[in-house]
Amino acid sequence: MDSLDTLDASFTEAFMRRTACLLKACVLLMLGCGGVEERVLTAPDEGSSAETSEAALDLGLVLVTCPVGTSQASYSPGLKNTPQNVTVSGQATFSNCVTVLGDPVTSGTSSLTSGVVQGFSCGDLLLPRTVTQTVTWNTGESSTMVFTQLRVGVQGTLSVFTLTGTVLSGKFIDATAVRTITYVTLDLEDGCASPEGLTSLSGLTTLTLTKLL
């Protein structure tokens, strides 16, 4: 009976540890996909990292979420309501990143490939368009991503854009990438109506990478 009691106790302990791991991973997943609100996540303590990775394996996902970030887009000449050739560039920073599975990253910077868009106007910001961006992580590694960008709606005084795509090369290759950018609607409208046009937009951004194993 002593050996059976010991076996039951070991089984119960292993089951409880497994359940706790799954709960931790589910919490991280829900926090990482929480929309456009700015959220701050604390990195898991060293003692729980192995358990979290094990849970992520069970879920069959590679997940990196960066819930805090800033984004800026620049237009030269300023974007107006009438079409013109415009050079578009941009940059973003991501922080408070949490890596559930894979080599960990904690922050990154992103650049939008600069180029001339022919016949571009303020109205085109509301239409789907393709953008290419490269994120350089704090580890020195990089991920090149291609997105389809679309304004998904207006929430009070804010305009929300969603970019959905894939990682084409580098770290986390083939992962699905989802990024949100939130701008103040008045900044967009006033810029487009001004004589010089919309020369820049700044807002908050988030980034989530997922990959089915």
Side-chain angles (χ1 to χ4, degrees):
M1 292 298 293
D2 291 342
S3 60
L4 289 176
D5 291 340
T6 301
L7 181 60
D8 287 342
S10 299
F11 178 82
T12 300
E13 181 182 358
F15 178 80
M16 295 301 294
R17 288 180 65 251
R18 189 81 161 185
T19 302
C21 290
L22 289 173
L23 287 173
K24 289 179 183 179
C26 288
V27 169
L28 288 173
L29 285 172
M30 289 186 291
L31 289 174
C33 303
V36 298
E37 296 181 2
E38 182 174 352
R39 301 165 186 251
V40 177
L41 300 182
T42 57
D45 31 322
E46 294 179 0
S48 65
S49 60
E51 294 179 350
T52 304
S53 296
E54 181 183 355
L57 278 169
D58 291 337
L59 292 171
L61 291 170
V62 173
L63 173 64
V64 176
T65 179
C66 301
V68 179
T70 59
S71 177
Q72 183 175 27
S74 300
Y75 308 97
S76 179
L79 206 59
K80 298 183 178 181
N81 292 315
T82 55
Q84 58 182 336
N85 296 340
V86 178
T87 299
V88 181
S89 60
Q91 53 278 326
T93 60
F94 305 99
S95 61
N96 293 75
C97 301
V98 175
T99 308
V100 177
L101 182 63
D103 295 334
V105 296
T106 58
S107 63
T109 58
S110 173
S111 60
L112 171 66
T113 301
S114 180
V116 176
V117 181
Q118 297 184 351
F120 197 36
S121 69
C122 285
D124 291 321
L125 290 177
L126 309 182
L127 301 177
R129 62 192 183 93
T130 301
V131 295
T132 300
Q133 299 175 350
T134 298
V135 174
T136 301
W137 304 103
N138 62 292
T139 58
E141 301 164 290
S142 63
S143 302
T144 298
M145 312 172 192
V146 61
F147 292 100
T148 296
Q149 176 174 314
L150 178 67
R151 187 171 85 160
V152 296
V154 177
Q155 298 180 357
T157 60
L158 304 176
S159 289
V160 182
F161 291 79
T162 296
L163 296 81
T164 304
T166 57
V167 180
L168 292 181
S169 62
K171 192 174 182 65
F172 307 116
I173 187 171
D174 294 331
T176 296
V178 177
R179 182 180 169 194
T180 64
I181 310 175
T182 305
Y183 297 119
V184 176
T185 303
L186 194 59
D187 290 347
L188 194 158
E189 294 176 346
D190 286 352
C192 288
S194 67
E196 66 273 16
L198 180 68
T199 58
S200 65
L201 269 177
S202 298
L204 300 178
T205 187
T206 67
L207 177 65
T208 299
L209 303 180
T210 62
K211 182 178 179 181
L212 292 176
L213 294 178

